Amino acid sequence: MKEKPLISVIVPVYNVEKYIRECLDSIVNQTYKNLQIILVDDGSTDNSGKICDEFARKDSRITVVHQENQGAGAAKNTGLELIEGEYFSIIDSDDYIDLSMYEKMVSLMKQYDSDIVQCLFKQVYVNKIIMRQYSTLKKSCTVLTRQKYLQHFLSDWKFAVFWNKLFRSSLLDNIRFPVGRKIDDEFFTYKLVCNAKRIVNTTEPFYFYRMRKSSVMNNNAKNRLIYDRIDCFVERYEYVSSRFPKLRKTYYNKMSDSLLFYRSQLTDASEELNALIKKYPYKQPGILIKVFNKFSKKKGTERFEENKNLILFE
């Protein structure tokens, strides 16, 4: 009987001793057994690294790498260098996954001869678990070409993250995460999509995303996040439009919209941002800013009403 394809599972780890056991239990107990589990301890100062070693002693599928703290992007890149599987997945160490996640995702990968499978997820609070739906896809299973996927990418942030996906390893082609960014998935996922021929989206929620207080940022961190996103939008426009000229206009409009929107969110926009706005002008910026501000205020109110009674993890 032919052995099932190997899946390489990368888990970047940093100071998550409260949650790492639940994460690793959900991986080692998968119904799909042919796993290479790569734990990258990025200089944890709590017991996270020791817990990783404890799991490795009990399960020969686990490899633990201990490195000096370099940040999440560098930790994930360390894991990517060690991939041996035909497929790979990256799981955040404070989250956990459904025990049948890989079995079902591999089945979809084979059924539709796809390069990426994407699932839905649930946000986990102390007092509630909330299901997150796609904003544009309603069918239980949808197969998209990379061009169609890249169109959805602009309107639904769930398409940009890496942790709810199973990738064919051949898509990597030396693609790596940026190091030192506040965000890194938005610089990574779309590049793999550009190399994919077919992507499957399932509405089954296999991933459980833990909502933590540490994800609430101060103003300096928020400004860093904004500038990271600005860099991402520009880089993504140049990258995607060079590969798929038919998407150039759509990606340009999204980028120029976003540059104006983020400038309206900053009290002191940098010279670099103002220079980008001049380089990539929008035809009706005055109208656009009004629409963005109105939409942002409305969505912010809705989000507050929805989340005000939810309790975050430490």
Side-chain angles (χ1 to χ4, degrees):
M1 184 176 179
K2 187 178 179 181
E3 188 177 34
K4 293 181 178 180
L6 180 66
I7 299 176
S8 297
V9 184
I10 300 168
V11 185
V13 178
Y14 181 71
N15 288 355
V16 285
E17 62 181 0
K18 292 182 180 179
Y19 312 115
I20 185 66
R21 291 184 186 278
E22 185 173 19
C23 175
L24 297 183
D25 280 337
S26 73
I27 296 172
V28 301
N29 292 311
Q30 285 286 301
T31 56
Y32 192 97
K33 301 300 182 183
N34 195 21
L35 305 176
Q36 175 200 17
I37 304 169
I38 306 166
L39 311 182
V40 183
D41 172 29
D42 190 44
S44 295
T45 57
D46 64 2
N47 290 315
S48 298
K50 294 179 180 178
I51 295 171
C52 290
D53 291 336
E54 174 191 324
F55 271 78
R57 286 192 294 270
K58 297 176 181 177
D59 194 323
S60 61
R61 298 174 298 174
I62 297 176
T63 299
V64 182
V65 178
H66 298 282
Q67 64 183 36
E68 292 184 4
N69 180 250
Q70 300 174 50
K76 282 175 276 210
N77 287 341
T78 296
L80 291 175
E81 294 296 333
L82 299 175
I83 285 177
E84 297 177 0
E86 181 178 343
Y87 308 125
F88 80 94
S89 167
I90 305 174
I91 305 297
D92 280 341
S93 53
D94 49 357
D95 300 333
Y96 58 97
I97 59 178
D98 185 277
L99 296 182
S100 65
M101 174 172 162
Y102 291 130
E103 183 174 8
K104 291 182 177 178
M105 281 187 150
V106 168
S107 177
L108 289 170
M109 190 85 79
K110 291 181 176 180
Q111 180 180 351
Y112 295 101
D113 189 25
S114 65
D115 297 310
I116 301 173
V117 177
Q118 171 179 277
C119 69
L120 277 177
F121 64 95
K122 295 182 179 181
Q123 289 180 323
V124 181
Y125 295 84
V126 172
N127 59 332
K128 192 173 183 180
I129 296 179
I130 297 177
M131 174 76 169
R132 290 304 181 198
Q133 304 284 357
Y134 293 126
S135 60
T136 53
L137 298 177
K138 303 303 179 184
K139 292 182 180 180
S140 60
C141 187
T142 306
V143 182
L144 298 173
T145 63
R146 55 192 170 189
Q147 289 93 332
K148 285 293 184 181
Y149 187 97
L150 288 168
Q151 290 173 343
H152 287 284
F153 196 99
L154 295 180
S155 58
D156 191 336
W157 66 271
K158 291 183 285 297
F159 283 68
V161 297
F162 57 80
W163 35 258
N164 66 337
K165 297 174 177 62
L166 180 66
F167 300 95
R168 193 178 296 277
S169 299
S170 58
L171 299 177
L172 275 169
D173 192 27
N174 294 319
I175 295 168
R176 295 295 183 266
F177 287 91
V179 176
R181 295 284 190 176
K182 191 70 181 175
I183 56 172
D184 52 30
D185 47 1
E186 294 185 33
F187 288 86
F188 177 80
T189 308
Y190 76 88
K191 294 177 182 177
L192 272 67
V193 171
C194 286
N195 288 340
K197 293 181 179 179
R198 193 175 293 109
I199 301 99
V200 175
N201 298 272
T202 175
T203 55
E204 290 193 73
F206 298 136
Y207 196 92
F208 294 83
Y209 182 83
R210 193 184 305 274
M211 304 301 294
R212 298 177 59 193
K213 290 181 181 179
S214 59
S215 63
V216 178
M217 295 172 287
N218 58 35
N219 286 334
N220 287 336
K222 287 180 180 177
N223 285 346
R224 281 176 52 208
L225 176 65
I226 286 175
Y227 280 111
D228 277 359
R229 285 200 170 132
I230 289 168
D231 289 344
C232 171
F233 282 128
V234 175
E235 178 186 296
R236 190 176 65 191
Y237 160 70
E238 298 289 355
Y239 191 96
V240 172
S241 62
S242 67
R243 295 281 301 272
F244 307 104
K246 289 184 178 179
L247 295 176
R248 180 184 298 274
K249 182 177 180 180
T250 302
Y251 269 72
Y252 181 92
N253 289 340
K254 177 65 176 181
M255 175 193 60
S256 58
D257 289 356
S258 299
L259 293 177
L260 287 169
F261 171 67
Y262 284 125
R263 185 173 67 177
S264 73
Q265 302 300 299
L266 294 166
T267 55
D268 186 20
S270 69
E271 292 182 6
E272 290 81 4
L273 175 54
N274 288 326
L276 285 172
I277 291 172
K278 288 183 179 179
K279 182 178 180 180
Y280 303 106
Y282 191 83
K283 294 181 179 179
Q284 296 177 310
I287 296 174
L288 181 70
I289 289 175
K290 290 179 181 179
V291 172
F292 261 128
N293 286 341
K294 182 178 180 180
F295 177 77
S296 178
K297 184 176 181 181
K298 179 181 178 182
K299 294 301 290 184
T301 302
E302 291 173 354
R303 208 173 291 120
F304 174 77
E305 290 299 322
E306 178 184 4
N307 296 340
K308 65 180 180 179
N309 295 320
L310 299 175
I311 302 173
L312 297 170
F313 288 89
E314 295 293 335

